């Protein structure tokens, strides 16, 4: 019997061998070095491991495919500018294990779906294009030419271009991303959902409205010089380990750090730089001066409490707000203050879950410091009120004049290594008219200005059979998106699903009626084309564009680059009706950059500037107090306090990353910094909440979420008692994505609310 798409989409409910220890309070240090080397040696051959570890993030080397944290402009560590998890990301890509054609012949997609995500990922690198014919149970080999033809035929057979969806994950380089969106627009749609929709979309929306640019304003140098850094809803020791060196530098310069997080994440507390031998012996630097264990989604309440106290001080003593900045550069102050006064301090503090003592310590720092940076990630962006979370941060920065000056500003810490660049070069379902006009002027076709589908809209459209072809440029759509059961049906309803991928993942197994896997080169591999090995470019979290060039031989000679794949699909689909010579680009990527220079602002002399070893900064208005908003000023905003009404038996659940995963790629089964080993199907619970429910350590439970009358279930998780606020719990993504409702998302940004899922827990 063939498994349904839904069964194939779910992570198998099997346990490994859970062990727990008291979580460490220090991060990185020897443990991280050891873990990195062990991982590298296990999955890469030693020569490759050494080569990549010396070239990763080095000037003239290649960009780490891990996170989007920037590299220092000046000196970089001679030991390699990488971290434990960067090396693990590399080991995943440069695996010494390859998936051969026999692999697919010997395993049906049902059999593959019975494997855990960890096992699927460890199958090895994809090495040849594969095709799943209608009704077949095994993928079979196909030539590149035939694969492109099949895609072209399917796309050309649709009633309208809007019946196709073109997803992008954030590793795609600027060159490939620009060509991909160009093809999609010339084909006739703007259905360009991307991982950003599930990630920092709320940051982009909130920052555009308030500061006129959807990106952060600070540089690394600002972080070193800040007097106060607030790290909110972020777990840097795992997800952006190199950020800890920047925070340490800030502390050494006298800066203070406040960490706001329901969990006392190890890296926020203490850090030992693995590249500093003295620190390795002496035990590291204490990072957070104040740890604020906010309840899940209690951040707006906490910020309102801070804002109310600041206002009180300003009104009684003065000199708290930066009046000159507010006068010269902002709009909406009076409305903001009038609204703020309608809130009650005690109520806000109670909702935030913070004690008076901790609040006072936070307040003291915010009151007295003038150069403030706020860093944040998914803990703020994956809520219904995510946009409000970020706008409230901006309100605070504006009151303090902490924007557009040295050591101050906004720092949304991006996820994928080029997610910011992809948006800059046009991966955007709501691209601004000015950008579309530039495309028209340059290429002579009129791109549609109808807004396309975001991730959530795309899933609905496929479910309702309004969209019938899905193309994924990287990523692992089914495991990354919310509401796994509904989303699996959505993909199964398609005529064709196509994935351009480096590694096998669950999305290859939850297919449309036909499916294609197109294997591509990874970051570390040399991209040989007619004019030689190609250089590509990426933009990091701080708006620096730099080059990346592979150094290893490709793992198979049947791989294409993402650029070549896009050119192949475009050529086979658009044929003579295209105004563009698609095949020319793949011979010489500098031609793509010439085009980007013409179409996208800020890329003047792109090819020349890319030769600068540390890259170049894109223009950033907020950095220099030029706010390109509708009012021409930085805007204060009015934000509501989220209303939380948990019933007695309910908990609010955040779905987070373990230390051993990169999104849906599972490196291993441990979460070392939280003291969890050999298991991912766990739920972290407050011990009092366990007691009330009479749940014991390691007890097996079933989880249930109910939203708008729909019940969603995820069974078989083990309870782990943890230091987490009462009423809150945490599980790992993607195992619990099945519980995240598709129709619960951030207003304006449509980011799934995967950090505030209301659940009940029952004995399993
Ligand atoms: N090694 C590794 N690196 C990665 C990734 C990876 O999976 N592995 N993923 C990459 C990507 S795409 C991204 S977007 C980033 C993600 O980086 P993070 O955002 O750090 O990742 P999450 O695990 O989602 O962590 C969210 C953090 O927010 C906290 N949190 C949850 N809810 C709330 C809340 O309501 N308020 C507050 N204040 N805190 C809250 C959680 O306790 C947790 O510490 O990392 C990138 N880098
Ligand atoms: N519940 C819950 N859901 C979430 C989140 C959460 O915190 N909680 N986080 C969300 C966030 S922040 C994000 S960004 C998304 C991530 O969503 P995605 O970006 O879709 O997922 P990834 O797991 O990063 O994608 C991994 C796959 O990308 C492919 N790949 C890797 N490198 C390359 C490459 O260089 N080129 C190509 N073509 N393919 C490559 C590999 O085949 C690999 O299997 O998930 C979101 N989903
Ligand atoms: Mo992300």
């Amino acid at each position: 019997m063939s498994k349904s798409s839904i069964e194939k989409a779910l992570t198998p409910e099997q346990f490994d061998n859970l062990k727990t220890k008291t979580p460490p309070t220090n991060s990185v240090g020897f443990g991280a070095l050891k873990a990195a080397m062990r991982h590298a040696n296990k999955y890469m051959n030693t020569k490759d491991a050494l080569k990549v570890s010396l070239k990763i993030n080095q000037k003239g080397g290649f960009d780490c495919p891990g996170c989007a944290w920037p590299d220092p402009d000046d000196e970089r560590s001679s030991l390699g500018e990488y971290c434990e998890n960067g090396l693990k990301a590399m080991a995943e890509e440069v695996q010494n294990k390859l998936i051969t054609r026999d692999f697919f012949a010997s395993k049906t997609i049902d059999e593959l779906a019975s494997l855990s995500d960890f096992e699927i990922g460890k199958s090895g690198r994809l090495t040849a294009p594969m095709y799943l014919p209608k009704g077949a149970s095994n993928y079979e080999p196909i030539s590149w030419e035939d694969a492109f033809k099949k895609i072209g035929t399917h796309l050309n057979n649709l009633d309208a271009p809007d019946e196709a969806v073109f997803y992008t994950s954030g590793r795609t380089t600027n060159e490939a991303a620009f060509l991909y969106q160009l093809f999609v627009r010339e084909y006739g749609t703007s259905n360009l959902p991307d991982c950003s929709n599930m990630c920092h979309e709320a940051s982009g929306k909130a920052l555009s409205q308030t500061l006129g640019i959807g990106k952060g304003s600070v540089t690394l140098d600002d972080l070193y010089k800040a007097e106060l850094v607030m790290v909110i809803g972020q777990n840097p020791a795992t997800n952006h380990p190199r950020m800890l060196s920047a925070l340490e530098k800030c502390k050494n310069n006298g800066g203070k750090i406040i960490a706001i997080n329901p969990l006392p994440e190890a890296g926020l507390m203490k850090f030992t730089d693995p590249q500093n031998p003295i620190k390795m012996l002496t035990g590291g630097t204490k990072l957070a001066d104040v740890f604020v264990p906010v309840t899940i989604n209690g951040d707006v309440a906490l910020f309102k409490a801070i804002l109310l106290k600041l206002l009180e001080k300003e009104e009684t003593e003065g000199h708290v707000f930066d009046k000159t900045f507010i006068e010269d550069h902002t709009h909406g102050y009076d409305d903001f203050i009038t609204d703020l006064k309608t809130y009650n301090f005690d109520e806000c503090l109670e909702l935030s879950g913070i004690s008076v003592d901790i609040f006072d310590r936070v307040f003291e720092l915010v009151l007295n410091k003038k150069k403030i940076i706020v860093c944040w990630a998914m803990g703020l962006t994956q809520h219904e009120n995510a946009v409000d979370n970020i706008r409230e941060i901006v309100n605070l920065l504006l009151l303090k004049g902490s924007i557009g000056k040295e050591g101050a500003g906004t720092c949304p810490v991006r996820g994928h290594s080029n997610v910011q660049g992809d948006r800059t070069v046009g991966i955007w379902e709501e691209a601004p008219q000015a950008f579309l006009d530039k495309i028209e002027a340059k290429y002579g076709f009129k791109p549609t200005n109808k807004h396309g589908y975001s991730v959530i809209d795309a899933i609905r459209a496929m479910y309702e059979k309004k969209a019938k072809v899905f193309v994924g440029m990287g990523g692992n759509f089914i495991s990354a998106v919310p509401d796994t059961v509904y989303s699996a049906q959505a993909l199964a309803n398609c005529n064709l699903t196509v994935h351009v991928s480096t590694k096998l993942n669950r999305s290859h197994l939850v297919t449309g009626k036909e499916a294609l896997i197109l294997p591509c080169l990874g970051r570390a591999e040399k991209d040989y084309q007619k004019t030689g090995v190609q250089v590509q470019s990426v933009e990091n979290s701080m708006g620096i564009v730099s080059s990346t060039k592979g150094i290893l031989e490709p793992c198979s000679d049947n791989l294409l680059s993402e650029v070549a794949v896009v050119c192949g699909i475009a050529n086979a689909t658009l044929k003579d009706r295209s105004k563009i010579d698609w095949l020319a680009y793949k011979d010489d990527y500098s031609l793509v950059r010439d085009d980007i220079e013409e179409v996208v602002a800020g890329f003047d002399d792109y090819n020349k500037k890319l030769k600068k070893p540390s890259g170049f900064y894109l223009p950033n208005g907020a950095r220099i107090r030029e706010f390109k908003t509708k009012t021409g000023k930085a805007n204060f905003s009015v934000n509501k306090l989220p209303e939380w009404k948990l019933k007695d038996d309910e908990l609010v659940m955040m779905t987070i990353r373990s230390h051993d995963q990169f999104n849906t790629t599972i490196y291993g089964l441990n979460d070392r910094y939280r003291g969890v080993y050999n298991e991912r199907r766990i739920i972290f619970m407050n011990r009092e909440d366990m007691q009330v429910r009479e749940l014991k350590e390691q007890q097996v439970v079933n989880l249930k979420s109910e939203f708008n009358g729909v019940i969603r279930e995820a069974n078989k998780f083990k309870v782990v008692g943890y230091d987490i606020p009462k009423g809150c719990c945490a599980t790992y993504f993607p195992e619990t994505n099945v519980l995240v409702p598709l129709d619960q998302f951030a207003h304006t940004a449509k980011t799934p609310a995967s950090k505030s899922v209301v659940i009940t827990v029952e004995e399993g």
Side-chain angles (χ1 to χ4, degrees), residues 114-127:
S114 308
L115 302 176
S116 69
D117 293 312
F118 174 60
E119 292 163 322
I120 290 177
K122 292 287 178 267
S123 309
R125 275 288 295 277
L126 294 159
T127 55

Side-chain angles (χ1 to χ4, degrees), residues 634-649:
N635 293 317
F636 280 98
S637 58
V638 169
N639 304 300
K640 283 204 207 101
L641 201 56
E643 283 172 31
W644 278 97
K645 282 191 216 90
L646 287 183
K647 293 189 202 123
D648 276 352
D649 61 338

Side-chain angles (χ1 to χ4, degrees), residues 387-462:
V387 175
D388 295 3
N389 275 341
I390 293 141
R391 289 195 305 211
E392 209 68 324
I393 288 174
V394 173
N395 283 337
L396 174 73
L397 293 174
L398 294 182
L399 287 179
K400 300 282 299 181
S402 251
I403 186 90
K405 70 176 185 194
E406 191 182 76
T410 52
C411 184
V413 183
R414 300 277 164 177
H416 269 298
S417 52
N418 196 39
V419 62
Q420 188 157 316
D422 289 348
R423 183 55 65 84
T424 303
V425 301
I427 302 291
W428 199 352
E429 75 282 5
E430 300 179 352
Q433 191 58 45
F435 174 81
L436 300 176
D437 291 344
K438 284 270 184 74
I439 296 249
E440 185 177 357
K442 162 88 186 132
Y443 300 101
F445 71 88
K446 197 172 178 60
T448 174
N449 60 6
K450 187 176 144 195
H451 283 182
Y453 297 138
S454 68
V455 163
I456 283 182
D457 303 323
I459 294 167
R460 277 213 194 98
M462 291 188 283

Side-chain angles (χ1 to χ4, degrees), residues 165 205 207 332 342 355 552 587 609 676:
V165 167
K205 285 281 190 306
L207 294 174
T342 63
S355 68
L552 301 178
D587 296 340
K609 280 204 263 182
V676 172

